[in-house]
Structure formats: structure tokens, C-alpha cells
Amino acid sequence: MTTDHQDTDTAILDTDVLVVGAGPAGLMLATELRLGGAEVVVVDQRPGPTTESRASTLHARTMEILDSRGLLDELGTPPCEPRGHFGGVPLDLTLPSSHPGQWKVAQTRTEELLQRRAAELGADLRRRHQLLSLTAEDGVEAEAIGPYGPVRIRARYLVGCDGEDSTVRRLVRAPFPGRDAARELLRADVCGVEVADRRFQRLEHGLAIAATREGVTRVMVHEFGRPAAERGGAEPDFAEVTDVWKRVTGEDISQGTPLWVNAFGDANRQLAHYRHGRVLFAGDAAHRQMPSGGQALNLGVQDAFNLGWKLAAVVRGSAGEDLLDTYHSERHTVGRQVLANIRAQVELLLGGPEVEPARALLTELVALDGVRQHLAGMISGLGIRYDVEGPEIHSAAHPLLGRRLPDAWLEPAEGGARRRTTELLRTGRGLLLSLDGDGAPALRATAAPWSDRVAFVADRPVAGGPLSARQPLLVRPDGYVAWAGSGAAGLARALNRWFGTAAADD
């Protein structure tokens, strides 16, 4: 990133990628771009990480992602709850993972963690900067206003991570089909009240939720049949929350002290395209949904993790722009599936007595382990399987192809301490795992032209773990298996698809 001045009034910044928005998705993206060697400037209107207790759940796949970048030590051991829900129906989220269940981490803490790592890697984070305009043709030119005046930023690409009311989306005029909110939940964090914990308690007049931690009680309430209010961007008054809470539960919490009050509705929208030329979108800027089951933040972080290494490779010139199209095809599909499950959950949560038969049926179905695993995989992110080969290629599907590489212990072929597959991902490079312990000379020779982008590992999997030595695996920087087999031609094709032209051919 370079800085100069055309005149005394406007600062000029040049960078590879401009990220608009320093929430979890934007900060995760910045860390991945820097890990991949791209220069990045991040602008955000806020003075610092959020101080509001918004999202507080990290699901298993997000925890695995943080682990694969060595970020979990700073979190310590947050509370873990194996039980989640689907539309208020209890659901065991335990699946094979290094971090099963849901982990209680305040969004403030998540943002602080990612901001610190982004800064350590050299991202240029500019707070109190509001985006005013942008143009995107051969490159991107954006104008922002900061605390010291106007700033012009020239970048090769721009990524909008600026939330559900995205300025980038508005400026690009990106189609954002879906539906607006018809119903809403009121939410408040309150001190000085004593109410019983309620886990999705459906009463005669509405839904009530309450949980107290460290002296602060979070209440959420919906009154059956009550439509979402037209708020014009303003938050509800605490008096509105107390009124609805009393009508639904019969309890008076008006004597409490509100720390934070907001409302969230059941709007459900998704961008038609996550890529608009040199402008891309991630997180809530790409999809808007009710935060049921704590999926919204996790979905955004996983968007960024998918995009970051791809965009860095394109910026470095080691991959063509068609790699960016796989970001849309992969994450738009995942986003569509998540928004569909959230729509179903909204009906189960906020519907009146008419949804009780469906809730009773779902309660019976989740007792079947296949149903439970399917729903838990969807909510946790562990069930994702990408089409890594493309529609033009057909092969005998390896069970891990397109899925995340499981956390497994490996025995180094040349001796030494065991190591985890997760630890091998921390450089942000790809991996070619031979897994037979002999170095597989043919594999090594095939992958040699990509050695600047893909590490070759010949360790043996520890017996009894989730990996076997039967077939080698090519793993993308985001931890998903891109190839599994034995043929040199198939490996070379996968290396070209995901890691660009071989260095020897440049």
C-alpha cells in the first residue's frame, strides 16, 4: 500500500484490495488477504470493535477455521454448549470435529481477536472512515471521508463487508432479491432484573427467551401476530420491550437498567451475484437473515475464509480471475441453503398455535440420528461439501472430496513429534498429503511446479484416526479437499484449477 497527495486536501491511497467494513467478515478477509500476500486497506465508520453484545455464538466450523490459523489460544476456553436448536426445538449439535457444539464468544471479543491479527499481518485499518462513492472499471476508485478529511483509494478490487444496510451494495446497485421483515423479535440486555431462564418458551400470546450471565439478563420476546415495526433504522425504546414482555409473560421488568436494546426481523434476502466485476461481497452485505441459531456471523466469517486466499492468488498473479467465480458458486449455494433453513426456523419460532403440529413432528424426527446429523451439519457449517471438480469432470467420489480436511494426528515420515493436520494449514498455503509415508516420488514430481503455493507432506496418519493412507489428498488453503486419487493427470488438473498455472510454465 502506498500513500501520496495530489493536493493538500485529499489523501491518496493505492492498494491491492479495499475492504469496506471491519466487522468479523471484513477482518477475517483482511487476515486472509495479508496471509496470501495481498496489500489491503480496511475502512469502517466505527471508532473500534463493536461494544454491543450482538452475536455471541461461534459454531464448530468457525472454531476450526480459527484453529487452522492459530487464533484459538487467545480465546482461552470459552463456554461450550453441545445443545442448540432448530426453530426452538432442542437439537444436539455434536458432530465429529475438534470443536463440536457451540462456543459462547461475544462479538466484541471476536472482532478484537481478528483486528489484532490483521494488524500483525500488516493490514491498514482506517477507522472513522465513511465510504462516499466508488467506480469500478479496470480498477476501483473509491472516495471516503475520514477524521482528517477526504481520502481517495485506488485498488484492484473492492469487497463490501459493510453489513445488511451495505453502502457498497447501494452504490453498485446490486440486485438483492428476497423479502422484507414481516415479524420481529425485540431484544434487550438488562441489569437489575430477576426472571427465570427461558429457552424458547412458547406461551399463549407469544415467544419468550431469557438467560442471565454475569449479572446481565438477555431477554427476547415476540408477540404472536404482531408485525415488524417501521423503525427507519432506529432501535426500539426499552419501554416497548417491557410492554411486550409483560403482555407475553405477565412479568414486569421495567425496573431494570437496559444496557442495549434492539430489534431484528425476519427479512430474508440474498444478492443475485456475490461478484460484480471488481466488486465482491461477503457477510451480511451479501445476505440478510434473521440471526436464528447464531448462524449469521459464522456464515460471514466462512464467506471471507473462502474468498481471501482466492482473491490474494488473483492479485499475486498466480491464478486467473475465473477463480473468483468459484467464490460465488460455492458461497452463494451455501448462503441459499442457510437462508432456507432460517426461513423454516422463523415459521417454527414465530408462528402461532397453527405451527404446533409441525413442531411436534420435528421433535419426533430429530430423535432420528440421520435427521439430527443433517440439521446439525447445516447449522454448524460442518456439513458443507463444495463441487471442487466442476461439472465437466466426473470421478469416483472420495468421501472427503469437497469436504473439509478432518483434524487428525500425523506421524512424520522422518521421525519427530506427531503433528495435527490443522497445524499444517497455518501458513495459508495448500497441502498435498501423500499419507503413505514414503514420499510418493511421482506425486512430488507432479506437484513440484506448484511448490511455491502447495506444501508437500509425506506423513502417515495415526491409526484409528479419521484419515487413511489409501489415497493422497490435495487440500486448498481454506481446508477443503480438492482432489483425492492416484493419477498424475488428475492431480495436475486439480493443481491448475485451484492454484493457477504451474511456475515452470510461466
Side-chain angles (χ1 to χ4, degrees):
M1 187 273 295
T2 59
T3 306
D4 59 62
H5 294 270
Q6 276 193 335
D7 53 53
T8 58
D9 296 322
T10 303
I12 311 294
L13 303 177
D14 288 286
T15 190
D16 291 326
V17 182
L18 170 61
V19 176
V20 181
L27 293 170
M28 183 81 247
L29 180 61
T31 66
E32 290 300 291
L33 288 167
R34 289 298 301 136
L35 196 61
E39 296 291 336
V40 57
V41 171
V42 184
V43 297
D44 192 283
Q45 296 184 59
R46 299 175 303 165
T50 183
T51 58
E52 299 173 343
S53 56
R54 290 182 177 271
S56 60
T57 297
L58 297 182
H59 283 296
R61 180 56 191 150
T62 301
M63 292 291 284
E64 290 179 350
I65 286 171
L66 297 178
D67 192 11
S68 73
R69 295 300 186 252
L71 286 165
L72 284 188
D73 287 347
E74 290 187 53
L75 283 184
T77 307
C80 179
E81 171 57 64
R83 185 181 64 161
H85 73 94
F86 189 91
V89 175
L91 178 68
D92 181 0
L93 294 174
T94 304
L95 292 173
S97 169
S98 58
H99 296 84
Q102 51 184 359
W103 301 76
K104 295 304 177 181
V105 180
Q107 182 171 333
T108 298
R109 186 74 186 92
T110 301
E111 290 189 16
E112 290 171 347
L113 177 73
L114 294 173
Q115 177 174 302
R116 184 156 47 249
R117 177 54 61 89
E120 289 170 354
L121 292 172
D124 182 356
L125 176 57
R126 307 226 167 189
R127 295 282 186 182
R128 299 187 178 91
H129 279 65
Q130 180 181 0
L131 181 70
L132 300 178
S133 66
L134 70 88
T135 58
E137 294 179 2
D138 294 335
V140 174
E141 288 206 9
E143 294 186 4
I145 187 72
Y148 304 108
V151 180
R152 186 147 61 97
I153 306 168
R154 300 180 295 215
R156 295 176 62 184
Y157 294 90
L158 181 150
V159 185
C161 300
D162 51 340
E164 60 183 23
D165 297 317
S166 170
T167 298
V168 176
R169 196 177 62 227
R170 174 176 55 80
L171 292 173
V172 173
R173 297 182 180 178
F176 196 43
R179 68 183 193 190
D180 291 328
R183 293 168 291 190
E184 67 181 358
L185 270 169
L186 301 177
R187 174 169 57 177
D189 286 350
V190 189
C191 285
V193 296
E194 293 186 9
V195 296
D197 281 2
R198 288 182 168 90
R199 187 176 176 85
F200 305 104
Q201 185 178 26
R202 289 172 60 83
L203 301 166
E204 180 182 359
H205 299 296
L207 172 73
I209 304 164
T212 300
R213 291 190 181 91
E214 299 179 353
V216 177
T217 300
R218 171 167 290 186
V219 297
M220 291 188 280
V221 63
H222 168 73
E223 187 174 13
F224 293 148
R226 188 172 188 263
E230 291 291 338
R231 301 190 181 278
E235 301 293 7
D237 294 329
F238 183 52
E240 182 180 354
V241 178
T242 62
D243 289 346
V244 176
W245 183 266
K246 189 169 186 177
R247 289 199 297 272
V248 170
T249 68
E251 298 172 348
D252 185 1
I253 60 170
S254 62
Q255 75 280 8
T257 301
L259 305 179
W260 175 57
V261 179
N262 85 328
F264 55 92
D266 63 344
N268 199 278
R269 292 184 175 275
Q270 184 182 26
L271 281 176
H273 301 282
Y274 282 15
R275 181 186 177 197
H276 290 251
R278 292 185 175 269
V279 178
L280 300 102
F281 294 87
D284 288 347
H287 35 75
R288 184 172 187 174
Q289 62 285 310
M290 186 173 171
S292 181
Q295 295 180 85
L297 180 149
N298 293 269
L299 185 61
V301 168
Q302 292 166 38
D303 285 347
F305 199 62
N306 183 288
L307 175 60
W309 67 274
K310 296 175 180 177
L311 185 51
V314 172
V315 164
R316 289 196 320 265
S318 62
E321 287 201 4
D322 57 344
L323 185 61
L324 297 180
D325 294 330
T326 70
Y327 166 66
H328 167 79
S329 62
E330 291 180 347
R331 294 306 300 173
H332 191 275
T333 299
V334 171
R336 184 176 65 249
Q337 293 167 347
V338 170
L339 265 64
N341 92 53
I342 287 176
R343 286 198 303 271
Q345 291 195 63
V346 167
E347 294 305 317
L348 293 168
L349 275 172
L350 305 186
E354 72 278 2
V355 304
E356 290 303 328
R359 292 177 59 83
L361 177 61
L362 180 62
T363 301
E364 293 180 16
L365 290 175
V366 295
L368 303 174
D369 203 47
V371 175
R372 183 197 69 81
Q373 289 186 28
H374 176 74
L375 295 178
M378 187 186 307
I379 291 172
S380 66
L382 297 178
I384 293 170
R385 186 168 196 170
Y386 294 133
D387 178 13
V388 294
E389 293 186 299
E392 74 283 1
I393 299 173
H394 303 280
S395 68
H398 186 283
L400 287 178
L401 193 63
R403 297 193 182 276
R404 76 197 203 289
L405 179 70
D407 183 71
W409 286 99
L410 302 176
E411 296 273 11
E414 299 177 357
R418 291 178 174 181
R419 52 185 177 175
R420 295 164 58 210
T421 52
T422 300
E423 295 168 0
L424 299 175
L425 292 168
R426 290 183 178 167
T427 63
R429 300 170 68 200
L431 291 174
L432 178 57
L433 300 177
S434 173
L435 297 177
D436 63 1
D438 68 2
L443 289 177
R444 187 188 294 270
T446 300
W450 289 270
S451 61
D452 59 327
R453 286 157 268 172
V454 179
F456 183 83
V457 176
D459 296 359
R460 288 188 178 89
V462 172
L467 295 180
S468 74
R470 287 180 297 175
Q471 285 187 308
L473 304 173
L474 177 66
V475 185
R476 306 188 321 189
D478 60 355
Y480 286 86
V481 176
W483 171 86
S486 57
L491 174 59
R493 186 169 57 229
L495 286 163
N496 267 299
R497 177 175 174 81
W498 297 109
F499 297 97
T501 305
D505 296 335
D506 288 345

